[in-house]
């Protein structure tokens, strides 16, 4: 049974068991600040398990794409070294939200693996939590599994918890004996130690407890089921393979890698590990970029960057010196096209992002090797037997050198590595990242509102901007529930029904007023503390507001109108970008306020002036056409069938709102919009820039804001024309003449500065010293640019004929050095090595060629000392 057949069989089986089939969510988790990536099938149902969200169904099944490269679920270092660990994988799961429990979960699992998948019962084993007699009994008496095929394990292996507090419970695993001849021993012992003879096929989690802050377990009123079965491992079992990498999910990819590297697989050498790592990582790379994550120096982008660099390095090990990963992503798309057809449409973009990152790392790798050998030289000079932890971490953090690469290179140089020191530096970095990660703060806020999970706010903002009688359900002040909100105080107010749009999908929340006979307050914004509750940021202006009272809730309609203009304009912009630039364009983030809109999208290069004008003209044409904007409720599946664009980072419910601009744009969106495009009035792009590799940003204004922008620009042009004493028509001509005059004057000034600098060298001939027969000149020149300093160094090299020139200049708190070595001496003295010794003296670093190098630093007060010290440093080098 092939992978796609397994997906279809699994979902078909649970569909017949009355489960709702739910599509995979993005690898970028929505509304869960506790994780970097989606790492389990239950992630998208977490709020349902926590009781914060209700669905119309109590049974669900999915095939979820997952990534495990960080946190407690981190398989990165095992990838390629075992047959069954991966970074990216697919998890097949079935879920019960207070419906069926242990008996049905076990019966469903057994029926599927034996009757549908056809696995041999005599090669299947079960594990249970050591105290879970009920699960043991269901396996033994209900299924008929003999006692010698059921093993009890402790909390470490067979008890699952969502976190330090929250739902938890025992679990039961199904293991398959994939190759009885692989390793001899008792099955229970082999399963316990993780032998490759057995595959952990399926994990059934029985969520029957709630763990409080003290660690005490309480029975849940509605126990639930959360199961997970890895597709890759299941494919290995059903395809009768001992390794996941031998299944149809990997075989075509590995074949392509072998073609590029001109090697056999398996070759039973260390290269096999590199082949498997590349195959694994390129799958993760393709899906991460496909879900809108770009390489970066922190957060999710850093994980992607590390995966690309790690795979690239293993390609180097196999003899691939040039970028190659971008050639492999098409193979990933071809293998996965049946389950994830969207990969095919994004493949060109994914490939370009991957290529750019490979090229970038190729340059970084050569720089890193230079630093590495410098550290080796320093270690040997000082008599150390290893590279220091901070040196290893610099190579890791700055140049992407994993510890194992540094270790291998160090071994070749006869050195060891200070692994403990490296781990200490790594731990410090992780702590800094945790401090910067906003998720912890968001999680704290979420706990504050956990007690409101039984409440529900009905949103009426699509139909009305005022609700006459809205009941106050709760008031939060300073993180605690209170009974009232007094004049002068600020708090969050929860209403039973509201016209206020809560911040979501990039659109800011509404503002307005809450009033009754005894109270008046300003609503400064609205947000979702839980999926079913809208809270309002309220500043109490007059009187006291009590829980249970009713208020008149009124939206600021003028501000709402401006937000609506900008939101619909964002949809027009998105559609225009796809028409002008191509279908690879995907929304990667947005901000819609009353004043402006900001739209981030995937595209590889900056937009030309012509492209910006074409996009702007197309949007304004659709505004002038006054096209109707229609909305309707539908399902996610139906919306996508109609051609609607879904945003990758959004989390969609059972019912979605489709916003359509006639014959031009269709998007799934819950925001507020105009009724026809003519209401927007006018659209003007005010900025286009890059925000990350492969990601661009457009900022724009509409309506009155766009008019003000044009008027302000007109005023600036009028002032410039008046300053130049010309008409606006002739302004550009006058500026071009002025620029030419300035350039001519600067050219003359530059020539004069160089003449003065050369005269200064004649005055300071005594600074040329003979060091072991070599002329060395070290001199300071203030008031010259770096470019002029380089030119001066070339002139002085010609003057002295043979020797070394070290020149420095300082300006605006910065200091610059250049070193020139005449060609006849580069076999004895190298400028790029000299600069590495001198640059630290000015608080900086640099590089270059053997005959010329330069550096910058932040300690101008050290320049004179550095120049004087250069004589002795050069003497040591000769």
């Amino acid at each position: 049974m092939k992978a796609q057949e397994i997906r279809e069989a699994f979902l078909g089986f649970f569909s017949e068991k009355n489960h709702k089939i739910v599509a995979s969510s993005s690898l970028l988790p929505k509304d869960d600040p506790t994780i970097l990536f989606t790492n389990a099938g239950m992630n998208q149902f977490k709020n349902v398990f926590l009781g914060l969200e209700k669905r119309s169904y109590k049974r669900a099944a999915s095939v979820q794409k997952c990534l495990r490269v960080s946190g407690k679920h981190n398989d990165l270092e095992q990838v390629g070294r075992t047959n069954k660990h991966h970074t990216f994988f697919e998890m097949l799961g079935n879920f019960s939200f207070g419906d069926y429990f242990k008996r049905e979960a076990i019966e469903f699992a057994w029926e599927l693996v034996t009757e549908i998948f056809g696995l041999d019962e005599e090669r299947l084993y079960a594990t249970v939590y050591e105290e879970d007699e009920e699960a043991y009994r269901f396996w033994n008496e209900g299924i008929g599994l003999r006692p010698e095929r059921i093993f009890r394990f402790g909390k470490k292996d067979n008890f699952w918890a969502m976190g330090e507090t929250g739902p938890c419970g025992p679990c039961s695993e199904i293991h398959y004996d994939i190759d009885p001849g692989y390793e001899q021993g008792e099955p229970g012992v082999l399963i316990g130690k993780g032998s490759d003879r057995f595959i952990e096929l399926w994990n059934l989690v029985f969520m029957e407890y709630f763990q409080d802050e003290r660690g005490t377990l309480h029975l849940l009123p509605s126990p639930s089921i959360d199961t997970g079965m890895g597709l890759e491992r299941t494919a290995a079992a059903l395809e009768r393979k001992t390794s996941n990498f031998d299944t149809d999910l990997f075989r075509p990819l590995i074949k392509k890698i072998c073609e590029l590297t001109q090697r056999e697989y398996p070759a039973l050498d260390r290269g096999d590990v590199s082949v498997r790592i590349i195959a694994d990582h390129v799958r993760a790379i393709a899906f991460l970029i496909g879900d809108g994550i770009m390489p970066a120096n922190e957060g999710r982008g850093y994980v992607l960057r590390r995966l690309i660099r790690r795979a690239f390095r293993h390609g180097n090990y196999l003899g691939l010196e040039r970028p190659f990963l971008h050639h492999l992503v098409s193979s990933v798309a071809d293998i996965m096209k049946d389950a994830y057809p969207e990969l095919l449409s994004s493949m060109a973009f994914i490939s370009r992002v991957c290529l750019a990152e490979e090229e970038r790392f190729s340059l970084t790798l050569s720089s890193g090797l230079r630093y590495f050998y410098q550290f080796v030289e320093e270690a040997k000079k000082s008599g150390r037997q290893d590279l220091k932890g901070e040196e290893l971490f610099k190579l890791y953090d700055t140049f992407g050198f994993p510890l194992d690469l540094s270790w291998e290179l160090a071994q070749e140089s006869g050195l060891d590595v200070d692994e403990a020191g490296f781990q200490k530096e790594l731990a410090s970095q992780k702590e800094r990242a945790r401090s910067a990660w906003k998720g912890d703060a968001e999680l704290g806020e979420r706990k504050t509102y956990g007690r409101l999970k039984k409440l529900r706010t009905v949103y009426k903002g699509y139909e009305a901007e005022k609700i006459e009688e809205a009941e106050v359900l709760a008031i939060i002040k300073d993180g605690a529930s209170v009974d009232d909100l007094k004049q002068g105080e600020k708090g969050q107010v929860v209403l039973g029904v509201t016209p206020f749009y809560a911040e979501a999908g990039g659109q800011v929340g509404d503002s307005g007023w809450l009033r009754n006979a005894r109270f008046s307050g300003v609503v400064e914004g609205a947000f979702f503390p839980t999926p079913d509750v809208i809270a309002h940021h309220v500043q109490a202006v007059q009187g006291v507001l009590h829980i249970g009272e009713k208020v008149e809730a009124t939206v600021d309609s003028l501000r709402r109108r401006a937000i609506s203009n900008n939101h619909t304009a964002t949809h027009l912009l998105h559609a225009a970008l796809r028409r002008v630039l191509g279908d690879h364009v995907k929304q990667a983030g947005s901000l819609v306020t009353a004043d402006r809109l900001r739209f981030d999208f995937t595209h590889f290069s900056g937009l030309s002036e012509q492209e910006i004008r074409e996009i702007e003209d197309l949007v304004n044409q659709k505004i002038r056409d006054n096209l109707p904007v229609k909305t309707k409720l539908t399902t996610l599946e139906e919306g996508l069938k109609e051609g609607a664009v879904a945003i990758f980072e959004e989390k969609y419910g059972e019912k979605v709102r489709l916003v359509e601009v006639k014959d031009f744009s269709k998007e799934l969106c819950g925001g507020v919009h105009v009724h026809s495009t003519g209401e927007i009035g006018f659209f003007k792009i005010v900025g286009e820039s890059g925000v990350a590799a492969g990601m661009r940003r457009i900022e724009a204004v509409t309506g009155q804001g766009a008019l003000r922008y044009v008027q302000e620009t007109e005023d600036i042009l009028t002032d410039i024309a008046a300053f130049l004493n010309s008409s606006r028509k002739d302004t550009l001509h006058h500026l071009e003449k002025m620029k030419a005059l300035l350039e001519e004057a600067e050219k003359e000034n530059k020539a004069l500065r160089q003449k003065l600098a050369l005269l200064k060298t004649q005055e300071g001939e005594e600074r040329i010293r003979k060091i072991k027969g070599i002329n060395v000149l070290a001199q300071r020149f203030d008031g010259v640019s770096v470019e002029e300093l380089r030119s001066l160094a070339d002139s002085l090299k010609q003057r002295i004929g043979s020797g070394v020139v070290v020149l420095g200049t300082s300006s605006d708190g910065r200091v610059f050095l250049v070193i020139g070595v005449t060609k006849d001496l580069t076999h004895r003295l190298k400028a790029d090595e000299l600069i590495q010794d001198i640059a630290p003296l000015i608080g900086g670093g640099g590089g270059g060629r053997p005959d010329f190098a330069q550096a910058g630093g932040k300690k101008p007060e050290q320049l004179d000392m550095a120049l004087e010290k250069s004589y002795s440093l050069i003497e040591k080098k000769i």
Side-chain angles (χ1 to χ4, degrees), residues 95-112:
F95 310 91
S96 165
F97 313 118
D99 186 20
Y100 62 83
F101 199 44
K102 292 182 186 179
R103 179 175 58 80
E104 295 91 335
I106 290 171
E107 287 173 351
F108 289 157
W110 189 255
E111 182 182 350
L112 181 65

mmCIF file of all heavy atoms in Angstrom, residues 95-112:
data_model
loop_
_atom_site.group_PDB
_atom_site.id
_atom_site.type_symbol
_atom_site.label_atom_id
_atom_site.label_comp_id
_atom_site.label_asym_id
_atom_site.label_seq_id
_atom_site.Cartn_x
_atom_site.Cartn_y
_atom_site.Cartn_z
ATOM 1 N N PHE A 95 -9.809 11.789 16.580
ATOM 2 C CA PHE A 95 -10.027 12.541 17.814
ATOM 3 C C PHE A 95 -11.479 12.440 18.257
ATOM 4 O O PHE A 95 -12.398 12.425 17.434
ATOM 5 C CB PHE A 95 -9.670 14.022 17.596
ATOM 6 C CG PHE A 95 -8.321 14.216 16.955
ATOM 7 C CD1 PHE A 95 -8.199 14.293 15.572
ATOM 8 C CD2 PHE A 95 -7.166 14.283 17.724
ATOM 9 C CE1 PHE A 95 -6.954 14.446 14.971
ATOM 10 C CE2 PHE A 95 -5.928 14.440 17.137
ATOM 11 C CZ PHE A 95 -5.819 14.523 15.756
ATOM 12 N N SER A 96 -11.631 12.379 19.567
ATOM 13 C CA SER A 96 -12.977 12.388 20.163
ATOM 14 C C SER A 96 -13.020 13.494 21.203
ATOM 15 O O SER A 96 -12.168 13.558 22.092
ATOM 16 C CB SER A 96 -13.279 11.043 20.815
ATOM 17 O OG SER A 96 -14.396 11.151 21.671
ATOM 18 N N PHE A 97 -13.989 14.382 21.079
ATOM 19 C CA PHE A 97 -14.141 15.486 22.021
ATOM 20 C C PHE A 97 -15.320 15.182 22.947
ATOM 21 O O PHE A 97 -16.451 15.631 22.717
ATOM 22 C CB PHE A 97 -14.361 16.804 21.266
ATOM 23 C CG PHE A 97 -13.389 16.996 20.133
ATOM 24 C CD1 PHE A 97 -13.833 17.104 18.811
ATOM 25 C CD2 PHE A 97 -12.023 17.040 20.365
ATOM 26 C CE1 PHE A 97 -12.949 17.270 17.769
ATOM 27 C CE2 PHE A 97 -11.115 17.205 19.322
ATOM 28 C CZ PHE A 97 -11.580 17.321 18.018
ATOM 29 N N GLY A 98 -15.065 14.352 23.972
ATOM 30 C CA GLY A 98 -16.118 13.996 24.922
ATOM 31 C C GLY A 98 -17.120 13.017 24.366
ATOM 32 O O GLY A 98 -18.222 12.887 24.905
ATOM 33 N N ASP A 99 -16.776 12.307 23.316
ATOM 34 C CA ASP A 99 -17.693 11.339 22.716
ATOM 35 C C ASP A 99 -17.257 9.921 23.114
ATOM 36 O O ASP A 99 -17.491 9.491 24.233
ATOM 37 C CB ASP A 99 -17.711 11.530 21.203
ATOM 38 C CG ASP A 99 -18.744 10.649 20.505
ATOM 39 O OD1 ASP A 99 -19.664 10.191 21.194
ATOM 40 O OD2 ASP A 99 -18.618 10.417 19.297
ATOM 41 N N TYR A 100 -16.584 9.187 22.226
ATOM 42 C CA TYR A 100 -16.142 7.843 22.597
ATOM 43 C C TYR A 100 -14.844 7.919 23.402
ATOM 44 O O TYR A 100 -14.179 8.956 23.460
ATOM 45 C CB TYR A 100 -15.984 6.963 21.360
ATOM 46 C CG TYR A 100 -14.955 7.416 20.343
ATOM 47 C CD1 TYR A 100 -13.605 7.109 20.516
ATOM 48 C CD2 TYR A 100 -15.330 8.109 19.179
ATOM 49 C CE1 TYR A 100 -12.661 7.483 19.570
ATOM 50 C CE2 TYR A 100 -14.396 8.486 18.231
ATOM 51 C CZ TYR A 100 -13.059 8.181 18.433
ATOM 52 O OH TYR A 100 -12.129 8.552 17.501
ATOM 53 N N PHE A 101 -14.494 6.760 24.014
ATOM 54 C CA PHE A 101 -13.284 6.786 24.847
ATOM 55 C C PHE A 101 -12.435 5.530 24.580
ATOM 56 O O PHE A 101 -12.346 5.068 23.443
ATOM 57 C CB PHE A 101 -13.663 6.937 26.322
ATOM 58 C CG PHE A 101 -12.534 7.428 27.191
ATOM 59 C CD1 PHE A 101 -11.708 8.472 26.783
ATOM 60 C CD2 PHE A 101 -12.275 6.836 28.426
ATOM 61 C CE1 PHE A 101 -10.660 8.912 27.580
ATOM 62 C CE2 PHE A 101 -11.236 7.269 29.227
ATOM 63 C CZ PHE A 101 -10.431 8.306 28.810
ATOM 64 N N LYS A 102 -11.853 4.951 25.609
ATOM 65 C CA LYS A 102 -10.812 3.931 25.441
ATOM 66 C C LYS A 102 -11.250 2.736 24.595
ATOM 67 O O LYS A 102 -10.546 2.324 23.671
ATOM 68 C CB LYS A 102 -10.337 3.437 26.812
ATOM 69 C CG LYS A 102 -9.578 4.460 27.622
ATOM 70 C CD LYS A 102 -9.111 3.858 28.952
ATOM 71 C CE LYS A 102 -8.478 4.929 29.825
ATOM 72 N NZ LYS A 102 -8.029 4.396 31.129
ATOM 73 N N ARG A 103 -12.383 2.162 24.938
ATOM 74 C CA ARG A 103 -12.790 0.927 24.259
ATOM 75 C C ARG A 103 -12.902 1.148 22.751
ATOM 76 O O ARG A 103 -12.330 0.390 21.958
ATOM 77 C CB ARG A 103 -14.127 0.430 24.820
ATOM 78 C CG ARG A 103 -14.628 -0.859 24.148
ATOM 79 C CD ARG A 103 -15.898 -1.378 24.817
ATOM 80 N NE ARG A 103 -16.980 -0.407 24.802
ATOM 81 C CZ ARG A 103 -17.763 -0.178 23.735
ATOM 82 N NH1 ARG A 103 -17.575 -0.860 22.609
ATOM 83 N NH2 ARG A 103 -18.728 0.715 23.800
ATOM 84 N N GLU A 104 -13.630 2.228 22.343
ATOM 85 C CA GLU A 104 -13.821 2.471 20.912
ATOM 86 C C GLU A 104 -12.512 2.840 20.223
ATOM 87 O O GLU A 104 -12.247 2.422 19.087
ATOM 88 C CB GLU A 104 -14.854 3.577 20.691
ATOM 89 C CG GLU A 104 -16.258 3.228 21.152
ATOM 90 C CD GLU A 104 -16.513 3.641 22.604
ATOM 91 O OE1 GLU A 104 -15.529 3.743 23.366
ATOM 92 O OE2 GLU A 104 -17.674 3.850 22.965
ATOM 93 N N ALA A 105 -11.675 3.627 20.916
ATOM 94 C CA ALA A 105 -10.398 4.033 20.317
ATOM 95 C C ALA A 105 -9.540 2.811 20.025
ATOM 96 O O ALA A 105 -8.916 2.703 18.946
ATOM 97 C CB ALA A 105 -9.660 4.995 21.248
ATOM 98 N N ILE A 106 -9.488 1.884 20.952
ATOM 99 C CA ILE A 106 -8.698 0.665 20.774
ATOM 100 C C ILE A 106 -9.307 -0.209 19.679
ATOM 101 O O ILE A 106 -8.601 -0.750 18.819
ATOM 102 C CB ILE A 106 -8.589 -0.099 22.111
ATOM 103 C CG1 ILE A 106 -7.686 0.686 23.078
ATOM 104 C CG2 ILE A 106 -8.069 -1.512 21.903
ATOM 105 C CD1 ILE A 106 -7.671 0.144 24.505
ATOM 106 N N GLU A 107 -10.648 -0.325 19.683
ATOM 107 C CA GLU A 107 -11.318 -1.152 18.666
ATOM 108 C C GLU A 107 -11.112 -0.576 17.268
ATOM 109 O O GLU A 107 -10.835 -1.312 16.316
ATOM 110 C CB GLU A 107 -12.810 -1.252 18.979
ATOM 111 C CG GLU A 107 -13.121 -2.144 20.180
ATOM 112 C CD GLU A 107 -14.588 -2.093 20.574
ATOM 113 O OE1 GLU A 107 -15.332 -1.234 20.012
ATOM 114 O OE2 GLU A 107 -15.010 -2.885 21.435
ATOM 115 N N PHE A 108 -11.248 0.762 17.135
ATOM 116 C CA PHE A 108 -11.034 1.400 15.833
ATOM 117 C C PHE A 108 -9.606 1.139 15.348
ATOM 118 O O PHE A 108 -9.380 0.795 14.184
ATOM 119 C CB PHE A 108 -11.255 2.915 15.921
ATOM 120 C CG PHE A 108 -12.696 3.341 16.099
ATOM 121 C CD1 PHE A 108 -12.996 4.584 16.651
ATOM 122 C CD2 PHE A 108 -13.737 2.524 15.694
ATOM 123 C CE1 PHE A 108 -14.305 4.995 16.814
ATOM 124 C CE2 PHE A 108 -15.060 2.922 15.846
ATOM 125 C CZ PHE A 108 -15.343 4.160 16.412
ATOM 126 N N ALA A 109 -8.641 1.335 16.234
ATOM 127 C CA ALA A 109 -7.233 1.179 15.853
ATOM 128 C C ALA A 109 -6.944 -0.253 15.394
ATOM 129 O O ALA A 109 -6.292 -0.476 14.371
ATOM 130 C CB ALA A 109 -6.331 1.558 17.027
ATOM 131 N N TRP A 110 -7.432 -1.217 16.159
ATOM 132 C CA TRP A 110 -7.172 -2.615 15.825
ATOM 133 C C TRP A 110 -7.825 -3.003 14.499
ATOM 134 O O TRP A 110 -7.221 -3.684 13.666
ATOM 135 C CB TRP A 110 -7.666 -3.526 16.954
ATOM 136 C CG TRP A 110 -7.257 -4.953 16.797
ATOM 137 C CD1 TRP A 110 -8.043 -6.002 16.404
ATOM 138 C CD2 TRP A 110 -5.951 -5.502 16.994
ATOM 139 N NE1 TRP A 110 -7.323 -7.164 16.363
ATOM 140 C CE2 TRP A 110 -6.024 -6.893 16.725
ATOM 141 C CE3 TRP A 110 -4.733 -4.953 17.394
ATOM 142 C CZ2 TRP A 110 -4.926 -7.728 16.830
ATOM 143 C CZ3 TRP A 110 -3.632 -5.787 17.496
ATOM 144 C CH2 TRP A 110 -3.728 -7.158 17.223
ATOM 145 N N GLU A 111 -9.057 -2.562 14.301
ATOM 146 C CA GLU A 111 -9.768 -2.867 13.059
ATOM 147 C C GLU A 111 -9.032 -2.287 11.860
ATOM 148 O O GLU A 111 -8.880 -2.959 10.827
ATOM 149 C CB GLU A 111 -11.200 -2.305 13.119
ATOM 150 C CG GLU A 111 -12.027 -2.623 11.870
ATOM 151 C CD GLU A 111 -13.425 -2.014 11.923
ATOM 152 O OE1 GLU A 111 -13.834 -1.504 12.995
ATOM 153 O OE2 GLU A 111 -14.099 -2.031 10.870
ATOM 154 N N LEU A 112 -8.546 -1.063 11.990
ATOM 155 C CA LEU A 112 -7.871 -0.423 10.871
ATOM 156 C C LEU A 112 -6.558 -1.130 10.522
ATOM 157 O O LEU A 112 -6.305 -1.455 9.353
ATOM 158 C CB LEU A 112 -7.599 1.058 11.181
ATOM 159 C CG LEU A 112 -6.909 1.856 10.064
ATOM 160 C CD1 LEU A 112 -7.811 1.958 8.847
ATOM 161 C CD2 LEU A 112 -6.518 3.249 10.527
#
